[in-house]
Amino acid sequence: MNTSMTCSFLIIVSIAVAVSGQQPPTGEALLEQNADRVIRLPGQPYVSFKQYAGYVTVNETHGRALFYWFFEAEESPEKKPLLLWLNGGPGCSSIGYGGMEELGPFVAQKDTFKLRLNNYAGNKAANLLFLESPVGVGFSYTNTSDDIQQLGDKITAQDSYAFMLKWFRRFPQYKSHEFYIAGESYAGHYIPQLADLILDKNKTISEENRINFKGIMIGNALLDDATDQTGMIDYAWDHAVISDRVYNGVKSKCNFNSSKSSDACDEALEEYFDVYKIIDMYSLYAPSCVNTTSNSTRRAHMHGKVSPRIFTKNKAWHVKPTGYDPCQTQYTDSYMNKPSVQASLHANTTKIPYRWSHCSDAITNWNDAPESMLPVIKKLVNAGIRVWVFSGDTDGRIPVTSTRLTLRKLGLNIVEDWSPWYTRNQVGGWTVAYDGLMYVTIRGAGHQVPTFKPKEALQLIRHFLSHQKLPTVPF
C-alpha cells in the first residue's frame, strides 16, 4: 500500500470512529495498536473481529510489564462496553483459564494444532480484555527479580490500575465506553481492590484520565476467610463427600474465625482433603483427567501465605482447577508454548527463562491478603457501583454455601429472595436480589462457570452488562 493510500485509509477509519462517538486513535497510539494487532494465530479459524496482544509497561524503573490479549466485540464494538476478565491464584493466568478455556473466542484441541471457535464467547456481549497479572504470571515479567518476592494484593491492584491507564492511552477509542471488571476465585480479592482504587483515583485525577467504571462481577470468589472455610466443610458434608466423623472432627478442632491453626486442626483437615485426591474439588461430579503428563493438570493453583490461612498448610488446597474436559489445560499448555503462537501474540519477547504455564511456580510468597473483602464490597455498593456475585453450585473449593454465608455476613437487606431464573425452558439457577447487590447461582456449574455452563455464563454476562434481571419464567 503506497503512502497516499495509507493516509486515505487512516482518514476514513478516523472519520468512521469519530461518527460512532469514539475517540479515534492517532499518532503514537495508532502505531502501538498496529504493532499489537494479531493478524491470525496458527490454526485459527477465520473471524471478522479484530484482536490485539502485547505488553504494557507498568513500572519503567523496575521494568515491570503486563501482558494482555484483547478481542473486539463480534458486532458493533463501538457500541459495546469494555469487560476486563481476571482469574486468580494468586499466580494463575487469566489468558490460560479465562481466555482459552472459559469465555475467550478460541479453544485449543486435543492432538491437533487447530483452534476451535467458542460458540458462547464473551465478546458476543462486550469488548473483552484479558490480563496476566501480577508480574511473574504467564508472559508478564519484571526485570527486577526482587519484585517477585514483594508481590501481594496491594501491588497487584496498583500495577493493574497503571496498566488500565496506559491501555486506554493506547486504545483511546474505548476510553468513553462503560468499563466493567469480572472474574473468579482469588479475583474475589483482585477485583474489589482494583475497583476500590479506580473509585478513589477517579475523585482526584484529571477528567482526561478518569475511567468510566460501572461495575464488578465475581464468581466462586474468595471473599471472607471465616465463611469461606466454614462453607467448604458444610458443603462437603451436605454433598456426601465426607463422613459425619470427619465433619465433626473439623468442626470441633478448627476455629475458622482465627488465623491461627493447631496440630489437631491440621490433622482433621488432612482427612477432609483426602477425598479430593480421588474426585475433583472444583467440580464434584466431573471426571478427573487420567492422561497425566509432565505438564500435569495437578500443579499448584494457590501460592504462598494466602487466605484462608488455616487451609494453606494442606497441599490439596493448592490443587488447581480443571475444566469440563479435565485434560483441557494440557491442550492449552501445549498450544501456548509453541514459538509460532508466541510470535503471533507478540509474547515472550524478552525470552523468559521458563515455560508459559497456567499457574506460576515462581510466585511462592504473597505478602498481603486481607482476611475479608466485605468492607470493600460494602464501600462499592454504597458508591452505587453495580455488584454481582455468582456461584457455580458444584464447586467444592469456594462453594455456594461459603458465598451464601459471606453475603449474609455483609448484612444487606434482601429485596427479592431465592427465585429461579431460566435458560429457555430450564432452570439455570437461583437469584437473591439484595439492596445494591445481585447474587446468582448457576445450576450444575463448577468453579469455572463459563467452562461448565457456557450458554448460561454468556446469558449471565449479557444481563449483568445491561443491568437486567435474569428471566424469571421459561421463554
Side-chain angles (χ1 to χ4, degrees):
M1 186 181 288
N2 62 37
T3 304
S4 61
M5 291 176 66
T6 302
C7 292
S8 298
F9 172 75
L10 293 178
I11 290 170
I12 291 170
V13 171
S14 297
I15 292 173
V17 173
V19 169
S20 72
Q22 294 182 307
Q23 180 181 346
T26 58
E28 185 178 352
L30 188 57
L31 291 173
E32 289 179 338
Q33 282 190 35
N34 288 337
D36 285 358
R37 178 78 186 275
V38 178
I39 304 303
R40 194 167 186 176
L41 293 165
Q44 177 201 306
Y46 172 78
V47 293
S48 58
F49 57 83
K50 295 178 182 177
Q51 55 176 318
Y52 301 82
Y55 287 97
V56 172
T57 300
V58 295
N59 187 300
E60 297 282 353
T61 304
H62 285 223
R64 290 205 300 271
L66 298 182
F67 184 78
Y68 79 92
W69 195 357
F70 172 61
F71 302 93
E72 287 191 343
E74 278 192 10
E75 297 179 358
S76 305
E78 72 280 357
K79 298 178 183 178
K80 295 287 199 322
L82 174 65
L83 179 66
L84 170 66
W85 180 272
L86 299 174
N87 284 82
C92 293
S93 169
S94 303
I95 285 172
Y97 285 117
M100 289 291 286
E101 297 174 17
E102 297 187 72
L103 65 164
F106 308 123
V107 182
Q109 300 184 86
K110 181 181 181 181
D111 298 331
T112 178
F113 196 38
K114 292 183 178 180
L115 299 171
R116 68 170 175 84
L117 287 176
N118 176 5
N119 294 325
Y120 299 100
N123 70 328
K124 292 180 181 294
N127 297 289
L128 193 56
L129 177 60
F130 297 97
L131 176 65
E132 291 193 308
S133 175
V135 293
V137 174
F139 295 122
S140 296
Y141 68 89
T142 176
N143 292 328
T144 306
S145 58
D146 287 349
D147 282 351
I148 301 297
Q149 298 303 314
Q150 306 304 317
L151 294 176
D153 283 14
K154 185 175 181 180
I155 195 170
T156 300
Q158 291 171 342
D159 280 0
S160 296
Y161 177 72
F163 167 86
M164 287 310 309
L165 290 182
K166 290 193 172 186
W167 191 89
F168 278 123
R169 290 172 196 153
R170 188 174 300 182
F171 291 86
Q173 66 267 40
Y174 292 101
K175 186 69 173 61
S176 62
H177 289 222
E178 291 189 345
F179 176 63
Y180 298 88
I181 316 172
E184 64 198 12
S185 196
Y186 198 80
H189 277 225
Y190 290 164
I191 293 172
Q193 291 178 99
L194 176 55
D196 186 33
L197 189 55
I198 293 172
L199 193 66
D200 286 346
K201 292 288 188 180
N202 273 354
K203 297 173 184 177
T204 60
I205 62 176
S206 65
E207 186 174 349
E208 177 187 2
N209 287 320
R210 286 176 200 155
I211 296 174
N212 189 18
F213 176 54
K214 296 297 182 181
I216 65 171
M217 182 170 68
I218 44 180
N220 293 91
L222 199 71
L223 291 173
D224 183 85
D225 282 8
T227 48
D228 286 344
Q229 293 171 115
T230 298
M232 283 182 69
I233 303 303
D234 290 349
Y235 183 88
W237 179 84
D238 194 48
H239 285 72
V241 170
I242 57 174
S243 67
D244 290 2
R245 182 186 62 79
V246 171
Y247 174 77
N248 291 327
V250 173
K251 283 289 189 176
S252 63
K253 295 173 184 176
C254 297
N255 177 13
F256 295 134
N257 288 307
S258 171
S259 60
K260 296 180 180 180
S261 185
S262 65
D263 291 342
C265 174
D266 293 343
E267 187 176 318
L269 288 177
E270 286 285 349
E271 285 198 86
Y272 159 76
F273 277 116
D274 275 347
V275 73
Y276 291 124
K277 296 175 183 176
I278 56 174
I279 64 172
D280 188 353
M281 178 190 289
Y282 292 86
S283 183
L284 295 192
Y285 309 111
S288 298
C289 180
V290 296
N291 179 29
T292 55
T293 67
S294 59
N295 298 312
S296 169
T297 58
R298 294 291 177 178
R299 281 187 300 211
H301 175 53
M302 298 187 76
H303 302 264
K305 296 182 178 179
V306 295
S307 308
R309 289 167 175 79
I310 292 177
F311 275 43
T312 55
K313 293 183 178 181
N314 194 289
K315 292 180 180 179
W317 172 254
H318 300 263
V319 171
K320 78 174 186 176
T322 57
Y324 183 74
D325 178 342
C327 301
Q328 182 63 51
T329 54
Q330 293 181 6
Y331 319 150
T332 303
D333 186 281
S334 177
Y335 186 83
M336 295 298 288
N337 276 291
K338 293 186 181 298
S340 59
V341 172
Q342 295 181 4
S344 297
L345 288 171
H346 320 118
N348 198 14
T349 54
T350 59
K351 303 303 178 187
I352 301 168
Y354 46 81
R355 284 174 56 88
W356 177 93
S357 62
H358 282 77
C359 298
S360 172
D361 291 328
I363 299 175
T364 57
N365 192 47
W366 200 255
N367 290 283
D368 61 286
E371 294 183 8
S372 179
M373 285 290 101
L374 294 185
V376 181
I377 296 292
K378 182 163 283 190
K379 177 181 175 180
L380 297 174
V381 168
N382 291 339
I385 298 299
R386 189 179 312 162
V387 179
W388 283 34
V389 178
F390 64 94
S391 292
D393 65 8
T394 68
D395 176 30
R397 178 59 175 273
I398 309 292
V400 60
T401 311
S402 295
T403 305
R404 292 175 75 181
L405 291 172
T406 298
L407 294 180
R408 183 189 302 172
K409 192 174 180 179
L410 191 57
L412 298 175
N413 293 325
I414 294 176
V415 176
E416 185 177 345
D417 211 346
W418 202 253
S419 305
W421 65 273
Y422 288 84
T423 297
R424 299 295 182 186
N425 59 354
Q426 297 294 327
V427 173
W430 279 264
T431 65
V432 179
Y434 292 91
D435 187 7
L437 183 149
M438 177 64 74
Y439 179 53
V440 183
T441 73
I442 298 86
R443 190 163 66 101
H447 190 71
Q448 297 164 278
V449 168
T451 300
F452 294 96
K453 292 289 182 176
K455 181 191 296 185
E456 290 82 351
L458 180 57
Q459 184 179 357
L460 177 67
I461 290 169
R462 289 189 190 279
H463 283 74
F464 163 68
L465 294 175
S466 61
H467 202 25
Q468 294 180 333
K469 286 181 60 177
L470 288 155
T472 57
V473 294
F475 60 96

